[in-house]
C-alpha cells in the first residue's frame, strides 16, 4: 500500500448548505435561525438548519414541531432544488478556477487531488478557494476545507473545525489530532458499525487505530475494514471507481406470493430498495426493467424509460405501468421469480442540470426527490423498515395499506 509523501487530497464541504444558500440569497434571513424543509407542512422534518439554529439543537432530521418548540422565532423555508443546483454549478466553476475537482461527492461536497507544489502551500490554497467563493458567491455561504493524505482523512479534517474551517492533517498529526474525536464522528462509522466495534472492544479512536488489519476485516466482515484503518493511518487507499451499470434486486416467491397483486407488491419493495442504493451512490437512472420468471424456467422482461430520475415516485409509476402490461399480455400467471433493476445510470448532479422542461415539472420532480431523500435519511437513522411508500413488509409478512401516488404524501400517510 502506498504511503503518500504529501497531503494529496482536499475535501471541501459547505456549512449548512441549503440554509446558508437561502441566507446568502435573501439578506433578510441573515443572522436569523433558519430551517429548510422539503415541503411546506407542519409534519415534515428539517433538511438543513442554519448556523444560528444549530446551537439550539436543531439539525437535519429535527421535526418542524420540535424545531418550533426549541426556537419559536425560527423561519422555515421550503427547499428550492432548482436554485441549489444552479448555485452548485456556479460553485464548481469557482473552485475549478483554483484547483481541478476530482469528484463531486454531493451537492455541497467535492474532493480534489493536489500536486505536491499545491500541497506544500495547502493553507494558501484553502484561503484562495474561500476568498474566491466569497467574491463570486458571497460571504454567508461558507465552506470548511480539509487537506490530508487521502480522502477519508481530508473529509475528517473538513469536519473538525466547522463552520468556515480549515484543517491540515499530515503524517505528523496522526493519530494525535484524531484522538479527541468520537468514533461516530468518522464518516463511515454508523451506529451499527460503532456497536460492532464496541462488541470487539473498540470504543475510541485509539482502539480503532491499534486494530490489526485482519481484525478490522473481521469486524467489518469485509475488506473495507482493512481499507478504513489503513486510510486512518495515512495510506493512500484508492478505491477502484467501479463503473456501475445497474442497481437490481430479485426474489424467489413462495406459493402464497404468486398472485399478480402480490408479485407487484414484492416488485415495489425491490424497486424501493434498488432506488435507495441508487441514491446512496449518487446516481440517477433512465430506465427500469421488470422481469418475471415462471415455473417453466422462462423469464420475460419489460423495460420502461423516463428522464434520468432518482425518486421513488417515478420508479414506482413506471413499475405500475409495466405490471399492467404483464397482466394484459397474460404473463402474470404462475410467477415464481421477480427481478427489478434500474439502468442507464448517470451522475446525480450532471443529469439534474438540464433535466426539467417546465417549472411545474421541476417543482413536482424536486418535491418527489426531496421526499425520497428525507425517507432515506429517516431509514438511515431508524432502520430500513422505518418508512416506505406503499407496502412495508415483504413476502410472508403483513402488508400495510397502500398510498395513492397522485400527490406528495405527508408523514401521517405512513
Ligand atoms: Mg455540508
Amino acid at each position: 500500500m502506498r504511503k503518500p509523501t504529501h497531503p494529496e487530497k482536499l475535501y471541501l464541504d459547505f456549512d449548512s448548505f441549503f440554509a446558508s444558500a437561502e441566507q446568502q440569497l435573501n439578506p433578510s434571513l441573515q443572522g436569523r435561525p433558519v430551517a429548510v424543509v422539503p415541503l411546506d407542512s407542519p409534519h415534515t422534518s428539517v433538511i438543513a438548519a442554519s448556523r444560528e439554529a444549530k446551537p439550539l439543537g436543531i439539525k437535519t432530521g429535527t421535526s418542524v414541531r420540535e424545531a418550533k418548540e426549541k426556537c419559536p422565532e425560527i423561519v422555515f423555508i421550503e427547499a428550492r432544488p432548482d436554485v441549489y443546483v444552479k448555485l452548485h454549478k456556479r460553485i464548481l466553476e469557482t473552485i475549478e478556477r483554483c484547483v481541478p475537482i476530482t469528484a463531486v461527492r454531493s451537492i455541497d461536497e467535492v474532493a480534489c487531488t493536489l500536486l505536491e507544489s499545491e500541497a506544500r502551500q495547502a493553507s494558501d490554497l484553502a484561503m484562495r478557494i474561500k476568498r474566491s467563493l466569497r467574491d463570486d458567491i458571497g460571504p454567508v455561504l461558507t465552506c470548511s476545507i480539509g487537506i490530508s493524505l487521502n480522502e477519508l482523512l481530508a473529509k475528517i479534517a473538513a469536519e473538525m473545525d466547522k463552520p468556515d474551517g480549515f484543517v491540515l492533517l499530515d503524517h505528523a498529526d496522526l493519530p494525535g489530532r484524531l484522538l479527541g474525536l468520537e468514533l461516530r464522528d468518522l464518516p463511515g462509522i454508523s451506529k451499527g458499525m460503532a456497536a460492532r466495534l464496541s462488541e470487539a472492544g473498540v470504543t475510541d479512536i485509539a482502539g480503532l487505530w491499534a486494530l490489526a488489519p485482519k481484525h478490522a476485516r473481521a469486524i467489518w466482515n469485509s475488506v473495507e475494514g482493512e481499507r478504513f484503518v489503513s486510510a486512518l493511518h495515512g495510506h493512500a487507499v484508492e478505491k477502484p471507481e467501479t463503473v456501475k451499470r445497474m442497481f437490481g434486486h430479485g426474489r424467489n416467491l413462495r406459493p402464497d406470493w404468486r398472485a399478480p397483486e402480490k408479485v407487484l407488491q414484492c416488485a415495489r419493495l425491490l424497486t424501493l430498495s434498488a432506488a435507495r442504493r441508487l441514491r446512496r451512490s449518487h446516481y440517477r437512472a433512465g430506465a427500469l426493467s421488470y422481469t418475471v420468471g415462471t415455473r417453466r424456467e422462462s423469464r420475460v422482461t419489460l423495460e420502461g424509460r423516463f428522464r434520468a430520475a432518482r425518486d421513488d415516485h417515478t420508479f414506482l409509476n413506471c413499475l405500475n405501468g409495466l405490471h399492467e402490461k404483464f397482466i394484459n399480455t397474460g404473463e402474470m400467471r404462475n410467477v415464481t421469480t421477480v427481478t427489478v433493476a434500474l439502468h442507464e445510470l448517470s451522475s446525480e448532479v450532471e443529469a439534474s442540470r438540464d433535466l426539467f422542461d417546465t417549472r411545474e415539472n421541476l417543482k413536482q420532480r424536486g418535491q418527489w426527490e426531496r421526499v425520497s431523500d428525507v425517507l432515506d435519511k429517516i431509514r438511515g437513522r431508524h432502520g430500513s423498515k422505518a418508512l416506505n411508500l406503499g407496502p412495508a413488509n415483504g413476502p410472508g409478512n403483513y402488508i400495510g395499506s397502500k398510498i395513492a401516488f397522485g400527490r406528495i404524501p405527508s408523514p401521517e400517510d405512513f
Side-chain angles (χ1 to χ4, degrees):
M1 212 166 297
R2 195 166 63 82
K3 198 144 196 172
T5 55
H6 63 274
E8 46 189 45
K9 293 289 175 181
L10 179 151
Y11 203 92
L12 185 152
D13 176 11
F14 282 87
D15 307 313
S16 312
F17 181 68
F18 300 124
S20 308
E22 290 295 346
Q23 288 179 315
Q24 182 63 61
L25 298 168
N26 182 353
S28 76
L29 297 174
Q30 292 173 14
R32 298 170 65 187
V34 171
V36 176
V37 291
L39 13 142
D40 183 16
S41 153
H43 306 289
T44 185
S45 309
V46 171
I47 56 173
S50 73
R51 70 196 60 192
E52 296 81 7
K54 278 182 173 165
L56 306 169
I58 298 160
K59 54 188 184 185
T60 304
T62 304
S63 72
V64 164
R65 196 192 308 115
E66 196 185 335
K68 258 189 202 148
E69 277 165 22
K70 288 184 162 154
C71 176
E73 68 275 19
I74 193 162
V75 185
F76 293 104
I77 306 278
E78 194 178 345
R80 299 185 291 166
D82 50 341
V83 171
Y84 309 145
V85 168
K86 272 194 204 123
L87 192 59
H88 168 81
K89 199 176 161 188
R90 284 174 54 205
I91 284 166
L92 296 190
E93 283 166 7
T94 296
I95 296 170
E96 282 262 321
R97 280 201 293 276
C98 302
V99 59
I101 293 171
T102 309
V104 174
R105 294 300 181 210
S106 76
I107 194 157
D108 75 324
E109 295 175 34
V110 300
C112 308
T113 305
L114 305 185
L115 304 171
E116 192 169 351
S117 57
E118 290 167 327
R120 254 188 268 123
Q121 316 211 320
S123 161
D124 289 351
L125 174 64
M127 295 315 132
R128 194 158 69 243
I129 295 171
K130 282 169 180 272
R131 198 163 47 237
S132 302
L133 286 168
R134 196 160 54 232
D135 294 346
D136 291 359
I137 313 288
V140 180
L141 187 65
T142 57
C143 67
S144 294
I145 295 177
I147 294 183
S148 192
L149 300 152
N150 55 48
E151 190 172 323
L152 175 72
L153 287 170
K155 191 173 161 114
I156 292 170
E159 281 291 320
M160 282 171 72
D161 186 29
K162 270 181 163 291
D164 202 14
F166 166 63
V167 170
L168 171 67
L169 291 178
D170 208 339
H171 287 297
D173 301 309
L174 304 175
R177 301 254 339 245
L178 303 178
L179 295 178
L181 303 175
E182 301 285 330
L183 286 176
R184 287 295 311 279
D185 292 337
L186 305 185
I189 305 290
S190 62
K191 204 171 164 186
M193 184 52 69
R196 277 157 73 170
L197 283 163
S198 164
E199 260 171 56
V202 178
T203 53
D204 57 14
I205 304 276
L208 186 61
W209 178 270
L211 273 182
K214 234 189 207 164
H215 197 179
R217 196 188 274 239
I219 294 170
W220 260 259
N221 196 19
S222 136
V223 69
E224 271 315 303
E226 201 177 321
R227 284 174 174 285
F228 192 90
V229 174
S230 173
L232 213 56
H233 279 256
H235 289 101
V237 277
E238 311 283 325
K239 230 194 219 170
E241 295 270 345
T242 47
V243 183
K244 199 75 186 147
R245 284 292 161 83
M246 60 123 162
F247 289 87
H249 283 293
R251 280 278 187 290
N252 291 320
L253 297 172
R254 292 192 337 217
D256 56 331
W257 267 83
R258 292 174 189 170
E261 65 276 11
K262 294 281 187 113
V263 175
L264 177 61
Q265 278 171 353
C266 181
R268 288 167 66 97
L269 291 172
L270 296 173
T271 302
L272 293 172
S273 164
R276 274 203 295 281
R277 289 203 294 131
L278 173 98
R279 286 190 289 273
R280 178 171 291 251
S281 307
H282 305 292
Y283 283 104
R284 286 171 185 270
L288 178 146
S289 67
Y290 183 20
T291 303
V292 293
T294 68
R295 240 187 275 276
R296 297 181 309 279
E297 299 285 293
S298 68
R299 288 158 71 88
V300 199
T301 298
L302 284 178
E303 187 167 283
R305 290 163 176 282
F306 31 80
R307 287 185 170 215
R310 52 188 292 286
D311 64 295
D312 294 340
H313 180 63
T314 299
F315 301 145
L316 291 175
N317 269 352
C318 175
L319 180 75
N320 285 347
L322 298 178
H323 185 79
E324 208 144 290
K325 270 191 210 161
F326 269 141
I327 289 184
N328 293 340
T329 54
E331 309 282 1
M332 265 300 149
R333 280 191 286 265
N334 297 323
V335 170
T336 55
T337 67
V338 52
T339 306
V340 176
L342 298 168
H343 302 270
E344 304 206 352
L345 306 183
S346 56
S347 121
E348 175 177 79
V349 173
E350 281 305 312
S352 60
R353 289 182 185 169
D354 49 26
L355 186 62
F356 308 107
D357 42 4
T358 67
R359 263 203 79 81
E360 200 35 48
N361 268 357
L362 167 72
K363 207 168 167 211
Q364 267 291 318
R365 175 70 71 97
Q367 283 176 330
W368 282 113
E369 291 190 356
R370 276 173 282 154
V371 168
S372 302
D373 288 338
V374 167
L375 295 186
D376 285 351
K377 260 184 197 144
I378 295 171
R379 287 185 202 104
R381 200 161 297 124
H382 303 292
S384 68
K385 299 220 164 49
L387 281 177
N388 272 318
L389 298 176
N393 298 295
N397 295 317
Y398 168 76
I399 297 299
S401 62
K402 279 198 219 159
I403 295 163
F405 274 91
R407 62 189 176 84
I408 303 286
S410 56
E412 306 98 295
D413 289 329
F414 302 106

